[in-house]
Amino acid sequence: MNDLKFVWRQALAKPLFASLIVGVLALGIGATSAIFSLSDAVLFRSLPVEEPAEVVRVFRVDEAGVPNNNMNFPAYVDLRDGAKSFAQVAAYQDWAPFNLGVMGEEPARVSGAVVSGEFFNLFGVPALLGRTLVPSDDVDRGGHPVAVLSERLWRNRFGADEDVVGREITINTHPFTVVGVMPAGFGGPSLPGTTDAWVPMAMLEQAAPFEKWEFLTQRGTSWHDVIARLAPGVSRAQAQAEVDVIVAGVVADTGRSPDQMRLGLLPASDAAVDAYGYQGTRRNTLLLLSVTATLLLIAMANAASLMLVRTEERSRELALRVGIGATRGRIIRMLLVEALMYASVGTVLGLLVAWMVMSAALPSLTAILGMGSAEPSMLLHGRVLGFAATIAVCASVFAVLSPTLRVLRLDLNSSLKQGAERDPKQGARVRSAMVVGQVALSVGLLVVALLLVRSFWQTAVIAPGFDPQRTLVASVDLLRQGYSPDQATQLQETLVERLRAHPEVDSAAFARIVPVRSGGMRTSFELPDEPAEESICCTDFNVVSPGFFETMRIPLLQGRALEPGDRQGAPAVLVINRAFAEQYLAGQAPLGARVAMLGGERTVVGVVADSKLRSLRESPLPSAWVTLAQRPDAQSEIIIRGRGEDPWTLLPILQEAVRALDPELPIFRTRTLVDQVGNSYREATVMARLLGAFAALAVVLSVAGLYGLLTWQVRTRTREIGIRLAIGASAAAVKRQFLKRGLLLTALGIPLGLLMAAWVARALDELLYGVSAHDPLTYSVVAVGFIALALAATWAPARRSSRVSPMEALRDE
């Protein structure tokens, strides 16, 4: 306590020093803790269920054991009834959105799951209110319209009403009874939980209209996932061996290809965030964690340098303490208490920084890491606090390593001598090594960040082939609302007519796929006029309403666009893009060409310019468009182009038009087309911004370290400088000496940093576009730029050294 009181008084006496060391540690600990909280959720956290180590996911896998598909229902039944290695097996589909209706409130779109009766029992998590679903709820086809709600939906939609159990709701216009509410944080097999409601598999046709009851008997239809709990005493390897035997028997009985039946077990916690994109998620997570760990090392090196400088300044005081009887161990303890106090305050402020970082960047970070939605409070939990505390202790120990060596080698005679000048070489090697290390780490980060920034810029300037400005996009799910294909087409046409009649709307249209979005649709087709061996081809296709090309501003090159007269009973027509015409119809006039596609022969009536469909980075791909009236699609999205600059002013217009046609139809996923295009390269954008921010912070810390080192050297060598100037040395020569010192340290650090960047950049190929991971221009710009920063950092101390007055220096002490 005496040590603590003393260092507190010292901090108050030297507020600038205390603020510097606390600020440096707060930045390093805060950034690292924020990213660690995400890494913990992605890589380390187990599912919040009973005995999580016993829970496994079952996937169809490739030869390397990597998940590549989900399961068919007969395969689930094989495991449920035949595998003795499993205590429980459950099937579920948790990507089934629901149109939720609650009496007296606006309809809403929520995330839902269709689960087998064993699902909740397998996890062993009791309901917060009411009960969970049980096997008896999953018996009769369509006979058990019951639902369990998430705590989040219960709180946000029902105001945490404890009487919600027994209340009737509608899911896709079908009545369901709420039987329970799950506790906060429960997400089944996912972290963090994003499912809002669960219904029995027996209600498949009502809850997930796309999935047919016949799928439960088809081995060729994969549409759900499987999770299992290992039997007591059974290892995952033993269970895998039994699954292999079961699969081999099915292959022998059915004659199916072994490649189509190969199943693999994966720990449920490993697949809790993004089972199919796990490698990319892991890469992004480790990259972010490595970057912040590098930033933390730079911050710790700065803190250690500051502590060493502080120890040098107090050498006489420390020598006096030793001279009057204090042991060197006692002094080292005092220094450690001082470092711990600074690190503790830095940790508290760092956690505040972490909260701010998570609040600002969480939506983007969770999106690129495949985590769905999450709140900062879900990620900043006890294990993260323990991690931050561990960092604080490590930073404290690291900060006092060099001062400890200084104390152990303390020369009482020279330190206590009145007027003795501090030795400028004392601790110089350690501080110089720290500066070189900081420069190397900063250069490496800066190269990686600049590569991503250039890649982001290369992507952002790509012309999408359409005009995304002034355009709003929204989704309405007519299939889940119970519309037949013909009814859906009628509503879509009526809604477009009403929107176009509004004075603030320039044009409107429906489309099954709104560019730019991953996924899309592909279909095979035949060219009847071509030889048989060349007639079967494949293309992207989209189903749109008349007015689509006008709304998207995709130029028409030949012929005409799709028109209202292209309906059922009229000749089937097709619009293609230039890439389609050049690849499949080269050497002939595309207009009038016949294409056998989507169950019938269609005539090409128009050719439009190439545009992006899935990604801005894709090359022009052959694409075709058919009209909704000739191929109804109840899940198309509405696109509205306004006359004003702000597309969000169109949302009330859309809501009013939809309510007039169907008050129970929810509108969801509203966004601007500009945002949708930006989301197509969101991963590169987020990584570039984060790494750019961390790299900039690392550069600031490194330059500050270099500046501090040279400033210290000027202060400790004041007397020497004065003598040199007094005996004839020029001010320019003294200035050059310190400039050379700063540039030498920078020159030693830059090559190390470039080598580190070249090694790290090999993992960035999937994130980069239009720039090589070893781009010489980027490496050169960083090297030259850092030299310029080093010159700026060394200029002020060097200039100060040349202005030392010989008379004042000789009178010093």
Side-chain angles (χ1 to χ4, degrees):
M1 289 303 299
N2 286 334
D3 287 342
L4 188 59
K5 291 175 184 177
F6 176 76
V7 298
W8 178 254
R9 289 196 299 268
Q10 291 281 64
L12 294 178
K14 298 280 187 179
L16 179 60
F17 169 81
S19 300
L20 282 174
I21 193 168
V22 167
V24 164
L25 289 174
L27 290 174
I29 293 173
T32 309
S33 298
I35 300 303
F36 173 79
S37 65
L38 285 167
S39 305
D40 174 65
V42 173
L43 302 177
F44 310 122
R45 193 185 306 181
S46 59
L47 286 171
V49 301
E50 182 181 288
E51 299 296 337
E54 297 177 357
V55 182
V56 296
R57 295 273 296 273
V58 187
F59 297 97
R60 282 172 55 185
V61 296
D62 59 21
E63 293 182 356
V66 177
N68 62 9
N69 208 339
N70 47 26
M71 300 271 287
N72 58 70
F73 200 80
Y76 153 69
V77 174
D78 294 336
L79 298 181
R80 183 193 64 189
D81 298 342
K84 306 303 180 184
S85 299
F86 298 135
Q88 292 167 308
V89 184
Y92 66 96
Q93 186 199 72
D94 59 358
W95 60 94
F98 296 161
N99 285 355
L100 177 69
V102 179
M103 184 174 294
E105 297 186 21
E106 286 288 320
R109 180 77 157 194
V110 300
S111 61
V114 181
V115 302
S116 65
E118 305 86 357
F119 182 81
F120 285 98
N121 289 340
L122 186 150
F123 292 109
V125 178
L128 177 67
L129 295 175
R131 66 173 179 88
T132 62
L133 301 179
V134 294
S136 59
D137 293 320
D138 188 29
V139 178
D140 300 324
R141 176 179 178 180
H144 297 275
V146 293
V148 172
L149 308 180
S150 70
E151 188 273 344
R152 180 180 58 250
L153 180 65
W154 172 62
R155 174 169 30 91
N156 295 337
R157 192 72 179 171
F158 296 89
D161 181 8
E162 295 189 359
D163 293 329
V164 70
V165 175
R167 187 170 176 178
E168 184 175 287
I169 60 175
T170 62
I171 294 177
N172 303 338
T173 71
H174 299 284
F176 279 75
T177 301
V178 176
V179 296
V181 176
M182 294 305 294
F186 177 80
S190 302
L191 275 174
T194 56
T195 303
D196 290 311
W198 296 265
V199 301
M201 191 76 73
M203 304 301 296
L204 176 68
E205 293 169 304
Q206 291 77 18
F210 268 115
E211 318 301 354
K212 300 177 181 178
W213 192 258
E214 292 74 21
F215 288 174
L216 273 66
T217 61
Q218 296 175 358
R219 289 194 179 274
T221 304
S222 298
W223 58 276
H224 65 83
D225 284 305
V226 169
I227 194 161
R229 180 177 289 278
L230 297 174
V234 176
S235 68
R236 186 158 57 92
Q238 292 172 323
Q240 180 68 66
E242 184 181 18
V243 168
D244 292 342
V245 171
I246 292 174
V247 169
V250 174
V251 169
D253 291 341
T254 62
R256 300 183 67 85
S257 168
D259 291 339
Q260 296 177 333
M261 300 292 293
R262 187 183 294 112
L263 301 181
L265 308 184
L266 194 68
S269 295
D270 288 356
V273 173
D274 186 1
Y276 299 103
Y278 185 69
Q279 297 302 320
T281 299
R282 185 183 182 87
R283 177 206 63 210
N284 290 343
T285 304
L286 292 177
L287 178 60
L288 288 172
L289 191 59
S290 301
V291 166
T292 51
T294 302
L295 181 62
L296 177 63
L297 285 176
I298 295 173
M300 290 169 63
N302 258 303
S305 296
L306 289 169
M307 286 292 293
L308 184 56
V309 168
R310 178 76 172 130
T311 305
E312 295 291 337
E313 289 181 340
R314 298 170 60 188
S315 59
R316 182 175 297 165
E317 172 210 325
L318 299 179
L320 182 60
R321 287 174 176 270
V322 173
I324 61 176
T327 64
R328 295 176 192 257
R330 177 73 178 76
I331 294 176
I332 292 171
R333 189 184 75 181
M334 181 185 68
L335 294 175
L336 182 58
V337 169
E338 182 178 18
L340 280 170
M341 186 191 75
Y342 292 138
S344 298
V345 178
T347 300
V348 173
L349 294 178
L351 290 173
L352 180 60
V353 170
W355 181 272
M356 294 169 62
V357 170
M358 296 297 290
S359 299
L362 190 59
S364 299
L365 284 171
T366 54
I368 68 169
L369 296 180
M371 294 179 63
S373 62
E375 299 175 1
S377 58
M378 296 171 62
L379 301 176
L380 294 178
H381 51 82
R383 191 154 57 239
V384 177
L385 299 179
F387 173 79
T390 302
I391 291 178
V393 174
C394 294
S396 303
V397 174
F398 186 79
V400 298
L401 284 178
S402 294
T404 296
L405 296 176
R406 176 74 179 95
V407 170
L408 292 176
R409 293 197 296 259
L410 190 65
D411 185 345
L412 297 184
N413 186 44
S414 61
S415 297
L416 292 173
K417 188 181 296 183
Q418 184 67 25
E421 186 180 58
R422 290 184 290 270
D423 183 2
K425 295 182 180 179
Q426 194 71 256
R429 289 185 178 179
V430 175
R431 289 194 295 274
S432 298
M434 288 182 178
V435 169
V436 170
Q438 290 178 57
V439 170
L441 293 172
S442 299
V443 167
L445 282 183
L446 202 56
V447 168
V448 172
L450 189 56
L451 286 172
L452 286 171
V453 168
R454 291 189 61 196
S455 175
F456 157 69
W457 179 253
Q458 294 277 8
T459 304
V461 298
I462 296 174
F466 54 85
D467 180 12
Q469 302 296 324
R470 305 181 180 184
T471 306
L472 186 74
V473 182
S475 300
V476 288
D477 191 341
L478 301 177
L479 177 66
R480 285 179 171 80
Q481 201 67 9
Y483 284 76
S484 68
D486 291 338
Q487 291 172 331
T489 301
Q490 180 61 45
L491 183 141
Q492 288 163 350
E493 292 176 347
T494 304
L495 181 58
V496 166
E497 289 175 4
R498 294 195 177 196
L499 289 172
R500 286 178 175 173
H502 197 282
E504 295 185 28
V505 175
D506 183 69
S507 59
F510 272 89
R512 181 65 175 89
I513 302 294
V514 178
V516 175
R517 194 177 76 192
S518 60
M521 299 185 294
R522 293 184 64 78
T523 185
S524 59
F525 65 92
E526 296 183 26
L527 300 173
D529 296 334
E530 295 292 326
E533 64 274 9
E534 300 178 5
S535 66
I536 300 179
C537 310
C538 191
T539 182
D540 287 319
F541 82 100
N542 202 351
V543 186
V544 301
S545 70
F548 171 79
F549 300 108
E550 174 192 355
T551 303
M552 295 293 294
R553 298 293 193 263
I554 298 176
L556 180 66
L557 303 180
Q558 298 182 49
R560 66 172 177 86
L562 300 173
E563 297 177 347
D566 299 322
R567 313 186 62 80
Q568 294 285 358
V573 297
L574 188 71
V575 171
I576 62 175
N577 67 347
R578 188 193 331 234
F580 188 107
E582 292 177 350
Q583 181 168 335
Y584 297 127
L585 302 176
Q588 61 175 298
L591 298 182
R594 294 178 300 123
V595 177
M597 177 189 295
L598 302 174
E601 189 171 286
R602 299 175 180 272
T603 302
V604 175
V605 296
V607 180
V608 297
D610 294 331
S611 58
K612 307 296 184 180
L613 179 62
R614 293 182 175 85
S615 166
L616 289 178
R617 296 179 175 183
E618 68 186 8
S619 300
L621 298 174
S623 298
W625 291 264
V626 298
T627 179
L628 277 166
Q630 294 184 339
R631 185 179 173 84
D633 194 315
Q635 280 207 311
S636 296
E637 298 187 286
I638 182 71
I639 311 167
I640 316 171
R641 178 174 293 277
R643 302 185 188 279
E645 292 295 330
D646 184 7
W648 286 110
T649 59
L650 301 172
L651 182 56
I653 300 171
L654 173 63
Q655 292 172 330
E656 181 181 354
V658 170
R659 275 195 296 267
L661 295 174
D662 186 347
E664 301 300 320
L665 179 64
I667 302 171
F668 59 97
R669 270 187 16 100
T670 54
R671 70 275 187 199
T672 67
L673 191 54
V674 169
D675 289 340
Q676 174 143 323
V677 172
N679 285 340
S680 68
Y681 54 91
R682 176 171 53 185
E683 183 179 28
T685 303
V686 173
M687 296 295 286
R689 289 175 177 171
L690 278 176
L691 265 64
F694 290 144
L697 187 55
V699 169
V700 169
L701 291 176
S702 299
V703 171
L706 182 61
Y707 172 83
L709 174 64
L710 294 181
T711 300
W712 166 251
Q713 289 189 343
V714 170
R715 289 177 58 189
T716 56
R717 299 173 63 180
T718 299
R719 192 169 185 176
E720 172 202 333
I721 294 169
I723 293 173
R724 293 180 61 190
L725 290 172
I727 62 176
S730 67
V734 173
K735 184 191 297 184
R736 281 196 300 271
Q737 179 185 7
F738 284 96
L739 287 174
K740 287 179 181 178
R741 178 66 177 167
L743 291 177
L744 175 62
L745 296 177
T746 304
L748 290 174
I750 287 176
L752 295 175
L754 295 179
L755 289 174
M756 182 184 74
W759 180 72
V760 172
R762 295 180 302 173
L764 299 179
D765 285 339
E766 294 183 21
L767 292 175
L768 298 180
Y769 174 79
V771 59
S772 166
H774 304 290
D775 177 59
L777 177 61
T778 302
Y779 286 70
S780 301
V781 167
V782 170
V784 173
F786 216 96
I787 290 173
L789 289 173
L791 275 173
T794 57
W795 180 260
R799 185 166 176 266
R800 191 177 305 120
S801 70
S802 67
R803 293 187 172 187
V804 171
S805 169
M807 291 302 294
E808 291 181 4
L810 294 174
R811 288 191 188 123
D812 187 39
E813 300 190 13

